[in-house]
Amino acid sequence: MTRRLLAPSCRVMASATDRRHRRARRIVIAMGLFVTCCAAISAAPTTTWDLDTLFAHLVRKHSLKARFVEHRHIFEVKGVIESSGVLEFAPPSRLIKRTLKPQTETFTFDGDTVSVAQGAFRRDLLIADAHGIGSLAIGIRGFVSGDLKALSAAFTLSLVGSESDWTVHCTPRASSASAILSHVRARGNLGQLRSIAVELANGDSSILTILPW
Amino acid sequence: MSVFLPRHPTAQQALLVQGINSGASAQGLLVAVSGAPVGRRTELSRQLAQRWQSDPQVRAVLNGQNGSFRLDEKLIFEARYLLSPTVNEESFSVGALRAAMQSSIQLLSTSMGLFGKEHILRDPTGEFVHAIQAMMPRDTVQSEGGVWVSQDHTQLLFLIQSTVSGSDLDSQERLLERIRTAFSVVRAHADLTQINMVISGAATFAVESRRSIRDDVARLSAIGAGLIVLLLLIVFRSPWALMLTLVPMVSAVVVGAAAVALTFGSLHGLTLGFGAALIGETVDYAIYHLAGVAREPGAMARSSQPRFWPTIGLGVVTSFVGFSALLWSGFPGLAQLAVFSMAGLSAGFLVARWVLPALTPMAFNPRSLVSAGLILHGVLSKLRRARGALLLASCVAAAFCVTQRDRLWDKDIAALNPITQSAQALDATLRNAVGEQGARVLVLVQSNGDEDALLEATFQVSLALDILVKDGELAGFSSPTMVLPPPSIQVTRQRALPNAATLTGRLDLASRGLPIGADSLKYFVSDVQASRTRVPLRRTDLIGTQLATQLEPLLIRQGEQRTAILPLRERHESPVSVEQIARALPTLQGTTINVLDLTAQTNRLYAGYLEEAIMLSALGGLAIAALLWLRLGTVAKVIRVSIPVLGALVFVVAGLALAGKPMNLLHLVGLLLVVAIGSNYALLLADYVVDSFRDPTILASLALANATTLLGYGVLAASSVPLLSALGTTVGLGAPLVLLLSAAWMGDNGR
């Protein structure tokens, strides 16, 4: 309609404007399509990676029997102290760490009692009374059994890494525990706990590596 | 038990008393808890132990957990080089130090090592653990989950040691109560309603026996009293008569108790119980009074002077004399009974004679006994015919007694023990399971010197006993030197400790090639150095610690005399003898060492009492005879009165021997009572037959009095407590026999 009203000299100008308009509209449509696509993409459901998901994989309903190797650095001792043995877990709450080499010792954490037996000597402690060793016990059992609740109660947790190589950093909440035990670090691959590292406030440290049976 | 302890002990007996008290205190209570589910046993055991341990009168609760022993770890750790038996020169040689360092490194690899680094590096040779093990050698008990269990793993076991003295039954009873309450609380909290507890031990036996005696005395006395009341009501048909009967009895008990309290300062519960039974005789006096009233009521009631009162009075005097013989007994229980009876009977008689008439109302008219008396007179005449046969029977019985004379008396104090076989068996099983055989044999050490010298001597004795344990003759023993080594030994250990420079040098040598150096063990070096000059531990240093309470029953002080007590633990299969132990012990200058077999000694003590009491009773009998002679005039009359009494005694003794029941102390008391009661009957009957008046009410009152005695004591015969049944059987048999025999014997002047 606009074209018939204009003089014949405006026909050339009208077609240039026309071309510009058409390009703009294409751009607008393209942008709109792009934005719609983006929105569509972001609205689709994706899996988040956090503590809850991790522990959903770690939760253990059946018993565990595995070997372990522990490497320890003690300030007064040059080099690494190595020990090895068997790690067992029976649901719901019985953890046994049986050191076999170089010194036999059975460390049991059942319910809320920690007991340590070495030869004829045996010591039983309530978790509430055993600050350092108790925290570690809660830590190890928490990760082996996948008990997020117990771990969160005793430690502040932070998760780094991906599903195939995750690390959870734990700092004890209670000051009585953190005075002895400064840091616990658990590493693993998805539902498989690989190692637990401990750092004591006095600088000593120990890494427990779990091996298949 | 305390009622058996002698008033004026010899030195040997004083040791026995110390031993019994200490042994009972150290033995402790055994507790078995059944019904706990497997997963909760350790926890339950720990909770119970903790709760019981918090009681102020509990010294220690052992349940297999080292932690719950509550030793003073800090003190022991600091003094470990003085207390550990493995401290010697050898353990500080280069070789030993190297081994110690290697084992420390290994320990550092454990879970304990990670958090207990300081202790390991300060004590590489492990003297702390050695010191503790020396103090607690109890490792023969079955263990599950770190706590003691029975052989079949169904029960949790505990050994509770208290600070309560063995003879303080009241405190023992309260402690047992508190233990039971604590158990209920833990059971409720843990929500384990199916668990049960059994307590056993010397204390429980003592408390239990006292309770059962009290219960039986109360129950049977009530039944007996009820029957007597019934009988009296039937006979006299008058409640007022009943009231009057009670008056002399109540006054007798009150006066008797007061007399004992004044003479001895305290009244033992047992004395009151038995004494009240004895006083049942005062019912007889009231009956005589009532019979007199029934015969002549009204004016006579107020100023009753019946002719038989002097005779009854004589009877009371003979009883008095008879019991007085027992006053000289070294056995305080018997002496108390004697005082109680003497005072009580006298009071009962006097009240019946003088007070009852005043209390009897003018219009009182109980049923007359004359008709009953006439019937009985007829019976009496018939009995006279049986006189010859009865005399013959008495002679046979006497001959029988003579042939059985060695088996008549039971010299074993266990016969007085009212504890059932099953309870004793349970105790034995628990003791066996816990490895605590109960200290039957003790070694007592006394020194002329001071406490250090005593500990030194005790240490030497302990070394000798150690050899016996190694040879398998003993299962073990406790010694004060296990808790506190004598200062001389501590000094010897100190001398074996190297100084800082030497020790550091040796550590340098020992650590060649090891990942640990001498500087890592610098606190070890300084600790050893400090121990070299430390003042040896003495008992005073332990005040306020758990170690002090452990030492308490083992190191006793009485005035200036200090005694060390070493309870021995025998092997279940092979009990030891005093001679066997004594042979193995060294002779030390200035030291007295005694080996005491508690069971044998208490039996000997008891047998001594029994023999003494028998002799005193015989003397008492002679005194009674003399008294009767004085009163009656001729020997013939004395014999005539005595024969029925003696006859009854002979029949009772023969009867018991025939039934296979050896007699104990309470049988003797019963026989004395038969003499006391029976002499009344015999004297009254003797009067009756010579009396021209022949008052029939006398016969009736005699029969009635006898019937009440039979009821009162016969009921006791049914008791499950041997002491009570002994008394009841003897008197229940003896009293009627005396009456029967008197009736048969007396009548030579028949109507």
Side-chain angles (χ1 to χ4, degrees):
Chain A
M1 192 76 123
T2 325
R3 269 183 227 147
R4 254 186 249 146
L5 291 173
L6 285 171
S9 58
C10 299
R11 227 177 266 164
V12 177
M13 250 183 18
S15 60
T17 322
D18 200 8
R19 266 201 301 279
R20 229 180 293 132
H21 278 188
R22 234 177 294 150
R23 214 179 301 137
R25 215 176 17 191
R26 245 183 262 139
I27 289 171
V28 167
I29 291 171
M31 278 191 65
L33 276 174
F34 179 68
V35 168
T36 320
C37 277
C38 283
I41 290 170
S42 60
T46 47
T47 22
T48 47
W49 175 237
D50 63 2
L51 281 169
D52 289 311
T53 350
L54 168 63
F55 275 86
H57 289 290
L58 280 178
V59 142
R60 181 175 301 282
K61 290 202 171 52
H62 306 291
S63 47
L64 162 78
K65 201 161 177 183
R67 291 181 301 129
F68 75 85
V69 168
E70 191 166 356
H71 295 99
R72 197 170 285 185
H73 290 266
I74 304 261
F75 175 69
E76 285 83 355
V77 181
K78 280 200 285 281
V80 177
I81 302 178
E82 187 175 310
S83 61
S84 61
V86 171
L87 190 67
E88 287 174 37
F89 174 75
S93 65
R94 190 179 164 88
L95 176 79
I96 306 178
K97 179 182 168 229
R98 254 185 260 276
T99 314
L100 298 170
K101 287 194 217 149
Q103 169 85 32
T104 51
E105 182 207 46
T106 308
F107 172 93
T108 316
F109 183 27
D110 197 353
D112 61 354
T113 314
V114 170
S115 58
V116 186
Q118 226 180 66
F121 191 79
R122 188 178 167 127
R123 198 73 192 251
D124 292 274
L125 290 165
L126 262 190
I127 203 74
D129 300 326
H131 302 301
I133 203 168
S135 272
L136 179 59
I138 294 176
I140 299 180
R141 189 172 73 179
F143 280 105
V144 166
S145 62
D147 188 352
L148 178 58
K149 195 152 165 263
L151 281 172
S152 315
F155 301 93
T156 22
L157 307 166
S158 72
L159 170 66
V160 294
S162 60
E163 294 172 6
S164 57
D165 186 9
W166 50 262
T167 306
V168 178
H169 293 272
C170 316
T171 320
R173 287 185 195 267
S175 56
S176 54
S178 59
I180 303 171
L181 183 73
S182 63
H183 197 125
V184 174
R185 213 172 46 237
R187 271 184 83 170
N189 172 5
L190 209 61
Q192 194 114 16
L193 177 68
R194 288 244 184 270
S195 70
I196 298 182
V198 181
E199 266 165 42
L200 297 189
N202 62 12
D204 296 339
S205 65
S206 182
I207 302 181
L208 176 84
T209 313
I210 299 172
L211 306 166
W213 181 244
Chain B
M1 190 62 214
S2 60
V3 75
F4 290 115
L5 301 176
R7 272 192 295 174
H8 307 291
T10 62
Q12 180 78 323
Q13 288 172 338
L15 281 178
L16 175 62
V17 171
Q18 270 186 1
I20 290 176
N21 276 334
S22 158
S25 173
Q27 254 185 45
L29 295 164
L30 287 167
V31 181
V33 173
S34 56
V38 175
R40 302 192 60 179
R41 284 197 186 149
T42 308
E43 180 57 27
L44 182 65
S45 183
R46 194 190 53 76
Q47 278 179 344
L48 286 170
Q50 200 175 47
R51 214 162 244 243
W52 287 328
Q53 183 84 68
S54 63
D55 189 293
Q57 285 190 314
V58 168
R59 183 187 312 127
V61 178
L62 307 183
N63 70 339
Q65 293 186 310
N66 300 347
S68 73
F69 203 139
R70 263 215 333 195
L71 294 174
D72 300 88
E73 294 186 347
K74 186 160 175 293
L75 178 65
I76 298 174
F77 190 77
E78 278 166 17
R80 63 191 182 279
Y81 293 107
L82 302 177
L83 295 174
S84 164
T86 54
V87 169
N88 50 41
E89 301 225 346
E90 180 53 39
S91 34
F92 292 92
S93 66
V94 174
L97 287 172
R98 188 178 174 85
M101 288 166 104
Q102 281 171 322
S103 86
S104 298
I105 296 170
Q106 288 191 340
L107 280 176
L108 287 171
S109 73
T110 63
S111 317
M112 278 214 302
L114 187 59
F115 295 94
K117 172 171 82 165
E118 286 77 22
H119 276 136
I120 295 173
L121 293 174
R122 280 174 78 182
D123 184 17
T125 55
E127 306 307 336
F128 174 65
V129 176
H130 296 153
I132 290 192
Q133 279 174 341
M135 291 179 191
M136 308 179 346
R138 223 181 290 272
D139 56 356
T140 53
V141 191
Q142 282 280 353
S143 192
E144 183 190 294
V147 294
W148 282 348
V149 293
S150 56
Q151 297 285 351
D152 57 3
H153 286 250
T154 54
Q155 294 171 314
L156 293 171
L157 296 179
F158 305 80
L159 183 65
I160 301 180
Q161 291 175 333
S162 72
T163 55
V164 179
S165 159
S167 49
D168 188 352
L169 283 190
D170 289 324
S171 299
Q172 295 276 12
E173 197 164 5
R174 282 194 290 268
L175 176 64
L176 285 171
E177 209 36 62
R178 290 200 299 272
I179 290 176
R180 290 196 187 100
T181 314
F183 174 76
S184 312
V185 169
V186 170
R187 178 170 56 180
H189 273 176
D191 198 22
L192 287 168
T193 48
Q194 73 275 33
I195 56 175
N196 282 310
M197 174 177 72
V198 169
I199 311 182
S200 182
T204 56
F205 290 161
V207 166
E208 191 52 39
S209 77
R210 188 174 71 163
R211 203 184 49 82
S212 75
I213 290 176
R214 276 189 186 155
D215 284 353
D216 258 17
V217 166
R219 185 172 54 97
L220 294 170
S221 305
I223 294 176
L227 289 171
I228 291 174
V229 161
L230 207 61
L231 181 63
L232 290 175
L233 277 175
I234 291 172
V235 170
F236 288 117
R237 305 270 170 89
S238 160
W240 191 245
L242 210 58
M243 299 288 293
L244 288 177
T245 320
L246 282 176
V247 172
M249 179 165 177
V250 169
S251 21
V253 172
V254 166
V255 170
V260 172
L262 281 172
T263 337
F264 291 91
S266 66
L267 178 65
H268 201 276
L270 278 182
T271 314
L272 187 61
F274 292 123
L278 289 175
I279 301 306
E281 193 191 330
T282 55
V283 171
D284 296 359
Y285 303 146
I287 291 174
Y288 298 142
H289 165 77
L290 286 170
V293 170
R295 190 193 49 185
E296 275 168 87
M300 287 299 291
R302 280 259 162 205
S303 56
S304 159
Q305 293 271 347
R307 296 165 62 187
F308 50 73
W309 278 114
T311 314
I312 298 173
L314 180 61
V316 172
V317 174
T318 55
S319 311
F320 195 91
V321 166
F323 277 111
S324 69
L326 290 181
L327 277 180
W328 313 117
S329 166
F331 177 9
L334 272 187
Q336 278 198 359
L337 266 180
V339 169
F340 193 100
S341 315
M342 284 159 65
L345 284 177
S346 317
F349 171 73
L350 291 170
V351 164
R353 176 72 185 85
W354 301 106
V355 175
L356 278 191
L359 288 176
T360 319
M362 280 287 202
F364 188 49
N365 190 4
R367 192 154 152 273
S368 165
L369 297 176
V370 174
S371 45
L374 288 169
I375 296 172
L376 286 171
H377 180 88
V379 172
L380 193 69
S381 320
K382 291 200 182 68
L383 275 174
R384 282 192 204 112
R385 282 181 228 143
R387 204 161 56 144
L390 283 171
L391 187 59
L392 188 63
S394 324
C395 292
V396 169
F400 180 66
C401 288
V402 168
T403 58
Q404 295 289 314
R405 68 179 175 284
D406 293 324
R407 269 164 285 182
L408 283 179
W409 297 98
D410 191 346
K411 303 263 170 77
D412 189 356
I413 202 175
L416 298 177
N417 188 357
I419 302 303
T420 62
Q421 285 289 74
S422 59
Q424 290 184 29
L426 172 69
D427 188 63
T429 319
L430 288 180
R431 285 210 181 277
N432 202 23
V434 171
E436 165 69 71
Q437 293 308 321
R440 179 178 69 90
V441 183
L442 307 175
V443 176
L444 284 88
V445 183
Q446 288 169 321
S447 167
N448 295 346
D450 58 1
E451 192 168 276
D452 287 353
L454 177 62
L455 282 175
E456 178 65 49
T458 312
F459 189 76
Q460 298 299 323
V461 172
S462 303
L463 289 176
L465 290 173
D466 266 331
I467 297 175
L468 286 178
V469 174
K470 279 203 188 69
D471 289 343
E473 287 180 51
L474 278 180
F477 65 97
S478 305
S479 165
T481 52
M482 282 177 181
V483 178
L484 182 65
S488 57
I489 298 296
Q490 294 183 42
V491 167
T492 312
R493 291 178 186 155
Q494 277 178 321
R495 292 215 189 97
L497 299 171
N499 64 25
T502 320
L503 187 57
T504 314
R506 289 190 195 161
L507 285 172
D508 277 327
L509 283 173
S511 61
R512 294 245 173 93
L514 291 181
I516 202 164
D519 50 297
S520 307
L521 296 172
K522 59 179 187 274
Y523 293 117
F524 166 55
V525 174
S526 59
D527 275 0
V528 169
Q529 181 69 359
S531 295
R532 292 185 78 217
T533 50
R534 198 196 162 103
V535 174
L537 274 182
R538 287 196 163 74
R539 193 176 182 175
T540 42
D541 300 318
L542 300 179
I543 290 177
T545 68
Q546 193 70 16
L547 293 174
T549 49
Q550 242 195 303
L551 209 50
E552 236 181 294
L554 303 174
L555 209 54
I556 293 183
R557 190 175 171 161
Q558 264 190 339
E560 281 307 308
Q561 180 67 270
R562 283 193 186 84
T563 315
I565 299 186
L566 288 78
L568 304 183
R569 288 199 298 281
E570 300 172 84
R571 296 191 79 94
H572 187 55
E573 342 51 76
S574 52
V576 297
S577 73
V578 167
E579 296 73 36
Q580 188 184 354
I581 304 293
R583 251 180 284 141
L585 297 180
T587 342
L588 300 168
Q589 218 182 25
T591 314
T592 325
I593 304 178
N594 278 300
V595 184
L596 214 59
D597 180 335
L598 288 182
T599 318
Q601 285 291 336
T602 37
N603 273 347
R604 200 170 303 164
L605 190 67
Y606 174 65
Y609 286 151
L610 196 56
E611 278 162 17
E612 186 194 49
I614 294 172
M615 199 191 57
L616 287 173
S617 306
L619 283 175
L622 284 176
I624 291 176
L627 179 68
L628 286 175
W629 179 69
L630 278 172
R631 184 74 181 81
L632 295 175
T634 68
V635 173
K637 280 193 193 153
V638 171
I639 293 177
R640 202 156 139 257
V641 168
S642 311
I643 284 184
V645 177
L646 288 172
L649 289 180
V650 154
F651 276 127
V652 171
V653 172
L656 286 171
L658 209 63
K661 272 184 187 291
M663 295 191 285
N664 58 44
L665 212 50
L666 265 298
H667 285 112
L668 185 65
V669 173
L671 290 177
L672 271 177
L673 200 58
V674 168
V675 170
I677 298 175
S679 58
N680 281 7
Y681 301 153
L683 286 168
L684 278 172
L685 264 177
D687 257 7
Y688 173 80
V689 294
V690 299
D691 186 13
S692 50
F693 184 52
R694 295 289 163 89
D695 188 353
T697 49
I698 292 182
L699 276 184
S701 2
L702 276 178
L704 184 60
N706 201 303
T708 57
T709 306
L710 179 61
L711 282 174
Y713 286 98
V715 164
L716 278 184
S719 167
S720 53
V721 178
L723 297 173
L724 292 176
S725 75
L727 191 64
T729 324
T730 323
V731 180
L733 281 175
L737 275 173
V738 176
L739 190 60
L740 207 65
L741 290 173
S742 308
W745 192 251
M746 297 295 180
D748 50 350
N749 305 341
R751 231 215 281 245

